[in-house]
Amino acid sequence: MKITQEIKDNTIIMTLDGELDASSSVILDEELSDPKIMSYSKILVDCAKLNYISSAGLGVFISHLQRFEDAQIKLIFYNMQDKVRNVFEILGLDLLMTIVSDYEEARTVSNE
């Protein structure tokens, strides 16, 4: 798993490349736990190259959801492959998390 970050205005874009499993979820957790991330209003997660997500990977996102919501930080997933999106939908996580089709749509999601 490779995780890259790009800053645009008040938004951080995280690109996930590879498989998000138990070992790589530790790295993702460290990235999302960084206090600097709390200074952004949006966290956009580009999933175009995310080939697999385990329960540990899902757990990392779930564990940070409330903290981000409390700080009025919007967590938005986009470019999700069908097989990864199906995992979110089967578990009902698409009802808890914002999932959109592409960057343009993710960029324009309101923080409300």
Side-chain angles (χ1 to χ4, degrees):
M1 165 63 62
K2 181 180 177 187
I3 302 171
T4 56
Q5 292 185 7
E6 179 183 352
I7 309 300
K8 285 189 178 179
D9 300 318
N10 202 21
T11 300
I12 187 164
I13 302 165
M14 299 182 83
T15 301
L16 307 180
D17 187 347
E19 298 184 352
L20 184 52
D21 56 19
S23 61
S24 58
S25 66
V26 173
I27 299 164
L28 176 63
D29 188 50
E30 289 172 358
E31 298 270 346
L32 293 175
S33 297
D34 186 336
K36 288 182 275 184
I37 207 164
M38 300 304 285
S39 64
Y40 299 99
S41 63
K42 290 183 186 175
I43 302 167
L44 307 185
V45 183
D46 184 351
C47 300
K49 296 180 182 176
L50 179 63
N51 301 319
Y52 169 82
I53 188 164
S54 72
S55 58
L58 291 167
V60 169
F61 288 118
I62 293 167
S63 71
H64 290 278
L65 262 183
Q66 190 63 53
R67 183 171 65 103
F68 293 151
E69 285 179 12
D70 290 347
Q72 298 181 336
I73 298 170
K74 194 76 174 171
L75 179 64
I76 305 162
F77 298 85
Y78 69 99
N79 285 342
M80 201 175 274
Q81 295 182 32
D82 288 342
K83 61 186 173 184
V84 173
R85 187 178 183 114
N86 286 342
V87 173
F88 279 75
E89 290 174 354
I90 288 169
L91 297 172
L93 297 176
D94 59 320
L95 303 175
L96 292 175
M97 301 178 183
T98 304
I99 303 171
V100 298
S101 59
D102 57 30
Y103 171 75
E104 284 305 313
E105 190 176 353
R107 188 179 65 77
T108 60
V109 170
S110 170
N111 273 42
E112 298 173 17

